[in-house]
Amino acid sequence: MGNILEQLISEQLAEVERQFAIYGNGVAAIIPAIELKNKIARSLLKQEPLKVKLGLDPSAPDVHLGHTVVLNKLKQFQENGHTIQLIIGDFTGKIGDPTGKSTVRKQLTNEEVIHNAKTYFEQFSKVLDMEKVELHYNSKWLSELNLEEIIKLSSSITVARLLERNDFSERYSTGKPISLHEFFYPLMQGCDSVELESDIELGGTDQHFNVLMGRHLQEHYGKEKQVVVLLPLLEGLDGVEKMSKSKNNYIGVDDAPNDMYGKTMSITDELIPKYFDLVTDLSLVEKSRIKEELKLGKLHPRDAKMFLARRIVSIYHNEEEAEKAEEAFKAVFQRGSLPNEVPVIKWSGDKELPIVELLVELGLQKSKTEARKMIQNGGIRINEVKVNDIYLQVDTSEEPIIQVGKRKFVKLQIN
Amino acid sequence: MGNILEQLISEQLAEVERQFAIYGNGVAAIIPAIELKNKIARSLLKQEPLKVKLGLDPSAPDVHLGHTVVLNKLKQFQENGHTIQLIIGDFTGKIGDPTGKSTVRKQLTNEEVIHNAKTYFEQFSKVLDMEKVELHYNSKWLSELNLEEIIKLSSSITVARLLERNDFSERYSTGKPISLHEFFYPLMQGCDSVELESDIELGGTDQHFNVLMGRHLQEHYGKEKQVVVLLPLLEGLDGVEKMSKSKNNYIGVDDAPNDMYGKTMSITDELIPKYFDLVTDLSLVEKSRIKEELKLGKLHPRDAKMFLARRIVSIYHNEEEAEKAEEAFKAVFQRGSLPNEVPVIKWSGDKELPIVELLVELGLQKSKTEARKMIQNGGIRINEVKVNDIYLQVDTSEEPIIQVGKRKFVKLQIN
């Protein structure tokens, strides 16, 4: 396959380069890049779509923008005529955690697996054309594996290699137990690629080890090795941690338009280019233009974020809803009163608490008595609405903007 | 089960102690001893034989005295009415070494497995009553194991625990690869115990880790745990290395009577008590008497060895052959000429070489010329036979005794 690029006419070569540029945009790594070019070339020559694989955890069907990084990449492959293989990891889902220690890996029933798969499907349909997607349940082949096959399979892998995986090596060196069965998870993921003869597997950079296992096992079974496309992990609203439900720093694809818009507006400025790259469907040209203008100061970060927020709402709802969300946001936050930069205070206290307590804890008032006075004088606003009730309970999970007097603003952020 | 001993009448208690003393004689360890007593007690109370397991490697059916250490222990259990479970490890035998690197673990056909099992049977029948022995092929259950069961099984074992096994820890720490599939061998051995509900498993001290796995897995599956009886490894004729075919320091149970007798006579004096304990069928009382007399100098080591050699030949041939072998030995080695202690020279040179070269290399003659003269003068004997031919090729593997002149003796020993 090495010289396949030489067999192409110049138009095809240009097409290879065009696709390669799209797939390469915003990714953390392509392993190895030349093989991806060769595969695109072969697909053009033979008029055969490439098989692009993504494995899904059947126990966590709540999709947020962090997941859509990989979905958007899949969409690019789909738009160029390639076949998407979604694998529901139902085999491990049905086993659960055999040690019974992990609450994350709880055992799923058949009904739960199918329900979760359906939930994925609905959410993914906002990005992908699901009619063209192949759906596979890996129990189909994994439940058939017997000890002889497993021994042959595992003979191709050394214990030292498995212990190199970041989390394993850390646990081994600090004396935390690793159950033998945990070594099977990367192997099973690799088996899926062997079974489906995947050409490409996508995954976050935290999946590096596991997706490479597919390459290794395909080679062991004498098959063509898949190319691994690693995608960066998307930081959440806090700008630091990976977006995840447990960190409560996420934008869910099922979030209401106003929430989605408002949350997007709350990301840090540094993240704007990355969000454009990873969670919008804009063309490379448009993305480049925005990033360039931001860099040169031609585009204000606030305006860039508004554009970003509108795009995101458009994808997961529609243009009209996006516009409405923007109007609502403007009505609340931009009626000439709010400054462009509101200082943020991280909050890890109670979810709900009385306004006077909150003001004191945030250091915005010296005592509850003073806080009460300030409210009675009409000097406290939450999200620009004057607080009249001194017993008001504030829901901090809504991350309100609190205004004290005319010039002092603070935005709460859940920690 | 803890208090089962309290349920016994004094006669039964005495019987428990009697059996326990027999099984404990000459062993390296019983893990744990109290459980063995409990099991014997239960077997007496319920009139049920204990199931005593020994696993066999289907690829190495040449039985030597090293193997009989464990066979003699099995025999003691059999003589007390317990059931012997012999497991032919045909499952791993048929897989062979999946990496193809090991010549020891070559893949066996069904015919080879059955042929080797038959060979074991014939050789074991010299020690055990094979009609009362249960024979099992572990492929029967191991080939039925699927991935789900294997994952559940391996969830009970940590990687760190497996890496504690001596050979694994050494290889891991020195960077030598351990294939993942190698972790399965102890597990499979353990599965055999689960399947057969073995009460006791025997093994050499080098099997320590593997036989304990049976205990562990039985517990994991909620079964009564087997007791592990570890037997010392028998040093071979060199007095240093474990007896093994590859070290050429073994006495085969199929050796001819004269060879068997002669080889036994060549063991070092220090080994005499151990050989009495481990490879004869004498009673505890007889063994004690011999060891005591040896210690007190009442029994000459040479005479003890002759008794030992005669016993061994009696077991694997018969009394008559044993007597003949003793006569033959005396005729050659004790016709008043050989001293009791012949100095030994370790030989790691050519297997066959000319007598003159050998004499020079051993430092028995200063030059080939002198060696030739000495032969022509009738001054050289090999195993008491005068050498007439100066071109004689000596087979060193027969470990001959070489005599130079009247008083100088040397015994070759293959290194």
Side-chain angles (χ1 to χ4, degrees):
Chain A
M1 208 177 91
N3 288 330
I4 199 163
L5 289 167
E6 292 172 12
Q7 301 170 36
L8 303 183
I9 57 170
S10 64
E11 257 173 51
Q12 289 171 316
L13 259 180
E15 172 61 12
V16 169
E17 292 300 335
R18 188 190 68 82
Q19 287 193 30
F20 183 76
I22 292 172
Y23 306 146
N25 176 251
V27 304
I30 298 175
I31 307 170
I34 181 65
E35 286 185 22
L36 178 55
K37 282 195 185 180
N38 278 332
K39 283 187 187 254
I40 301 168
R42 192 199 57 202
S43 129
L44 289 175
L45 273 179
K46 298 200 177 176
Q47 297 277 308
E48 274 174 10
L50 295 174
K51 296 175 216 156
V52 187
K53 173 195 168 194
L54 177 68
L56 298 170
D57 175 356
S59 65
D62 273 313
V63 180
H64 55 61
L65 283 201
H67 299 112
T68 68
V69 174
V70 72
L71 285 187
N72 287 318
K73 190 52 70 182
L74 282 180
K75 185 184 188 176
Q76 295 168 348
F77 281 101
Q78 191 178 56
E79 284 174 340
N80 285 292
H82 302 298
T83 306
I84 308 305
Q85 304 175 316
L86 291 183
I87 326 287
I88 306 282
D90 69 325
F91 182 74
T92 46
K94 285 180 197 162
I95 293 177
D97 175 38
T99 65
K101 283 178 199 153
S102 165
T103 49
V104 181
R105 279 203 184 275
K106 78 177 181 81
Q107 207 165 348
L108 301 175
T109 64
N110 218 21
E111 288 67 38
E112 286 171 313
V113 166
I114 288 169
H115 171 263
N116 290 350
K118 217 179 124 193
T119 313
Y120 271 126
F121 231 76
E122 283 163 8
Q123 297 177 92
F124 281 18
S125 67
K126 293 177 177 175
V127 178
L128 297 173
D129 179 349
M130 294 307 281
E131 287 193 10
K132 291 185 187 159
V133 162
E134 283 182 12
L135 189 68
H136 300 276
Y137 292 85
N138 69 3
S139 63
K140 190 176 165 194
W141 49 89
L142 292 181
S143 62
E144 298 293 316
L145 277 184
N146 65 27
L147 181 55
E148 178 166 356
E149 288 157 323
I150 292 160
I151 285 178
K152 287 189 178 165
L153 192 71
S154 43
S155 74
S156 74
I157 300 152
T158 68
V159 172
R161 177 90 184 76
L162 285 160
L163 282 175
E164 276 167 17
R165 204 176 83 169
N166 281 348
D167 54 335
F168 287 154
S169 72
E170 196 186 307
R171 282 160 66 195
Y172 186 66
S173 63
T174 57
K176 288 191 195 118
I178 304 162
S179 271
L180 179 56
H181 77 284
E182 298 181 64
F183 276 5
F184 287 98
Y185 294 106
L187 260 74
M188 289 189 276
Q189 193 166 337
C191 283
D192 296 347
S193 297
V194 173
E195 177 67 27
L196 297 175
E197 303 189 328
S198 308
D199 287 303
I200 295 161
E201 179 163 0
L202 303 199
T205 47
D206 53 351
Q207 287 290 306
H208 189 170
F209 186 94
N210 291 352
V211 288
L212 278 178
M213 193 57 85
R215 250 178 96 72
H216 174 80
L217 289 184
Q218 284 175 323
E219 185 176 30
H220 181 66
Y221 281 98
K223 303 207 169 188
E224 189 181 306
K225 289 180 278 184
Q226 67 185 14
V227 170
V228 163
V229 176
L230 294 180
L231 290 144
L233 301 177
L234 188 71
E235 288 87 356
L237 304 179
D238 52 20
V240 180
E241 301 266 15
K242 174 185 166 187
M243 183 178 281
S244 80
K245 211 181 167 190
S246 62
K247 293 268 161 37
N248 197 29
N249 63 353
Y250 69 101
I251 303 173
V253 303
D254 278 344
D255 278 355
N258 285 3
D259 286 348
M260 202 176 258
Y261 194 99
K263 284 185 183 178
T264 307
M265 290 307 292
S266 79
I267 67 167
T268 59
D269 289 354
E270 293 75 37
L271 280 179
I272 300 172
K274 194 168 182 183
Y275 268 59
F276 269 106
D277 267 339
L278 299 178
V279 301
T280 71
D281 54 358
L282 299 176
S283 72
L284 288 190
V285 176
E286 284 174 290
K287 289 175 181 175
S288 297
R289 187 182 53 76
I290 291 164
K291 287 188 274 184
E292 190 64 18
E293 290 184 354
L294 261 174
K295 212 170 159 185
L296 297 174
K298 285 191 195 169
L299 182 62
H300 192 284
R302 181 200 55 223
D303 297 331
K305 271 200 266 192
M306 287 174 73
F307 182 47
L308 176 68
R310 211 162 53 231
R311 279 311 308 148
I312 291 173
V313 180
S314 298
I315 295 171
Y316 298 104
H317 298 279
N318 55 49
E319 296 277 352
E320 200 184 330
E321 293 283 1
E323 217 159 300
K324 274 200 228 164
E326 188 161 282
E327 287 311 313
F329 182 84
K330 280 183 183 166
V332 176
F333 293 97
Q334 293 198 313
R335 231 178 20 206
S337 53
L338 277 182
N340 286 329
E341 295 284 338
V342 175
V344 163
I345 296 189
K346 302 254 181 179
W347 180 256
S348 50
D350 292 344
K351 184 172 175 287
E352 271 209 6
L353 74 172
I355 176 71
V356 289
E357 275 185 40
L358 181 65
L359 288 168
V360 173
E361 285 209 36
L362 292 174
L364 295 172
Q365 293 292 306
K366 282 186 185 154
S367 68
K368 289 187 188 174
T369 316
E370 284 186 34
R372 253 176 245 118
K373 265 188 212 156
M374 196 66 172
I375 295 168
Q376 283 157 346
N377 293 337
I380 303 292
R381 284 166 187 262
I382 291 187
N383 290 341
E384 297 217 283
V385 178
K386 199 187 282 174
V387 176
N388 297 313
D389 178 6
I390 60 164
Y391 301 109
L392 177 76
Q393 291 282 322
V394 184
D395 185 350
T396 59
S397 72
E398 292 183 349
E399 305 195 329
I401 292 176
I402 298 161
Q403 187 178 350
V404 181
K406 291 221 169 128
R407 303 207 180 275
K408 196 164 189 181
F409 295 88
V410 150
K411 177 165 173 43
L412 275 197
Q413 199 172 72
I414 299 301
N415 203 6
Chain B
M1 206 176 93
N3 287 330
I4 199 162
L5 290 166
E6 291 171 14
Q7 302 170 35
L8 302 183
I9 56 171
S10 64
E11 256 173 50
Q12 289 171 318
L13 258 181
E15 172 61 12
V16 169
E17 293 300 334
R18 189 191 67 81
Q19 286 193 29
F20 183 76
I22 292 173
Y23 306 147
N25 175 251
V27 305
I30 297 176
I31 306 170
I34 181 66
E35 286 185 22
L36 179 55
K37 282 194 184 180
N38 278 332
K39 282 186 186 257
I40 299 169
R42 191 199 59 203
S43 128
L44 290 174
L45 273 179
K46 298 201 176 177
Q47 298 276 308
E48 274 174 9
L50 296 174
K51 296 174 215 158
V52 187
K53 173 194 167 195
L54 178 68
L56 297 170
D57 174 356
S59 64
D62 274 312
V63 180
H64 55 62
L65 283 200
H67 300 112
T68 68
V69 174
V70 72
L71 285 187
N72 287 318
K73 189 53 68 182
L74 281 180
K75 186 184 187 176
Q76 294 170 349
F77 282 100
Q78 191 177 56
E79 284 174 342
N80 286 292
H82 302 299
T83 305
I84 308 306
Q85 303 175 315
L86 292 182
I87 325 285
I88 305 283
D90 68 326
F91 182 75
T92 45
K94 283 179 196 162
I95 293 178
D97 174 38
T99 65
K101 282 179 199 152
S102 163
T103 48
V104 181
R105 278 203 184 275
K106 78 177 182 80
Q107 206 165 348
L108 301 175
T109 63
N110 219 20
E111 288 68 39
E112 285 171 313
V113 166
I114 289 170
H115 171 263
N116 290 351
K118 216 178 125 194
T119 314
Y120 271 126
F121 232 76
E122 283 164 8
Q123 295 176 94
F124 282 18
S125 67
K126 292 177 176 174
V127 179
L128 298 173
D129 178 350
M130 294 307 281
E131 286 191 12
K132 290 185 188 161
V133 162
E134 281 182 12
L135 190 68
H136 300 276
Y137 292 86
N138 69 2
S139 63
K140 190 177 165 193
W141 50 88
L142 293 181
S143 63
E144 298 293 317
L145 277 185
N146 65 26
L147 181 55
E148 178 165 357
E149 288 157 322
I150 292 160
I151 285 178
K152 288 188 176 165
L153 192 74
S154 42
S155 75
S156 74
I157 301 152
T158 68
V159 172
R161 177 87 183 79
L162 285 160
L163 281 174
E164 276 166 18
R165 203 177 85 170
N166 280 349
D167 54 336
F168 286 155
S169 72
E170 196 186 307
R171 280 160 66 195
Y172 186 66
S173 62
T174 57
K176 286 187 197 127
I178 304 163
S179 272
L180 178 57
H181 78 284
E182 297 181 66
F183 275 5
F184 287 98
Y185 294 105
L187 260 75
M188 289 189 276
Q189 193 164 337
C191 283
D192 296 347
S193 297
V194 174
E195 177 67 27
L196 297 174
E197 303 188 329
S198 309
D199 287 303
I200 294 161
E201 179 164 358
L202 303 199
T205 48
D206 53 351
Q207 288 289 305
H208 189 171
F209 186 93
N210 292 351
V211 288
L212 278 178
M213 192 58 83
R215 250 178 97 72
H216 174 80
L217 289 184
Q218 283 174 325
E219 185 175 30
H220 181 66
Y221 281 98
K223 304 208 167 187
E224 189 181 306
K225 289 180 279 183
Q226 66 184 16
V227 169
V228 163
V229 176
L230 294 180
L231 290 144
L233 301 177
L234 188 72
E235 288 87 355
L237 304 180
D238 52 22
V240 180
E241 301 267 15
K242 174 185 166 186
M243 184 178 281
S244 80
K245 210 180 167 191
S246 61
K247 291 268 161 37
N248 197 29
N249 64 353
Y250 70 101
I251 303 173
V253 303
D254 277 345
D255 278 355
N258 284 3
D259 287 346
M260 203 176 257
Y261 195 100
K263 283 184 183 178
T264 306
M265 291 306 292
S266 78
I267 66 167
T268 59
D269 288 356
E270 293 75 36
L271 280 178
I272 298 172
K274 192 167 182 182
Y275 268 60
F276 268 106
D277 267 339
L278 299 178
V279 302
T280 72
D281 54 357
L282 299 175
S283 72
L284 288 189
V285 177
E286 284 174 291
K287 287 175 183 176
S288 297
R289 187 182 52 74
I290 290 165
K291 286 188 273 185
E292 190 62 19
E293 289 184 355
L294 260 175
K295 211 169 160 188
L296 298 173
K298 286 192 196 167
L299 182 63
H300 192 283
R302 179 200 56 222
D303 297 330
K305 272 199 268 191
M306 286 175 73
F307 182 46
L308 176 68
R310 210 160 56 230
R311 279 309 311 146
I312 292 172
V313 179
S314 298
I315 295 170
Y316 299 103
H317 298 279
N318 56 48
E319 296 277 353
E320 198 184 332
E321 292 283 0
E323 216 158 302
K324 273 199 227 162
E326 185 161 282
E327 287 311 312
F329 182 83
K330 281 184 182 164
V332 176
F333 293 97
Q334 292 196 315
R335 229 177 20 207
S337 54
L338 276 183
N340 285 328
E341 296 284 340
V342 175
V344 163
I345 296 189
K346 302 254 181 179
W347 180 256
S348 50
D350 291 347
K351 185 174 175 288
E352 272 210 6
L353 73 173
I355 177 70
V356 288
E357 275 185 39
L358 181 65
L359 288 169
V360 174
E361 284 202 27
L362 292 174
L364 297 172
Q365 292 292 305
K366 282 185 185 157
S367 67
K368 290 189 188 173
T369 316
E370 283 185 35
R372 251 176 248 117
K373 265 189 211 155
M374 196 66 173
I375 296 168
Q376 283 157 348
N377 292 337
I380 303 293
R381 284 165 187 264
I382 291 187
N383 290 341
E384 297 217 284
V385 178
K386 196 187 284 173
V387 176
N388 296 315
D389 177 6
I390 58 164
Y391 300 110
L392 177 76
Q393 290 282 321
V394 183
D395 185 351
T396 59
S397 72
E398 293 183 348
E399 304 194 332
I401 293 176
I402 297 161
Q403 186 177 351
V404 182
K406 291 223 169 127
R407 305 208 177 272
K408 194 165 191 181
F409 295 87
V410 150
K411 177 163 172 45
L412 274 198
Q413 198 171 73
I414 299 301
N415 205 7

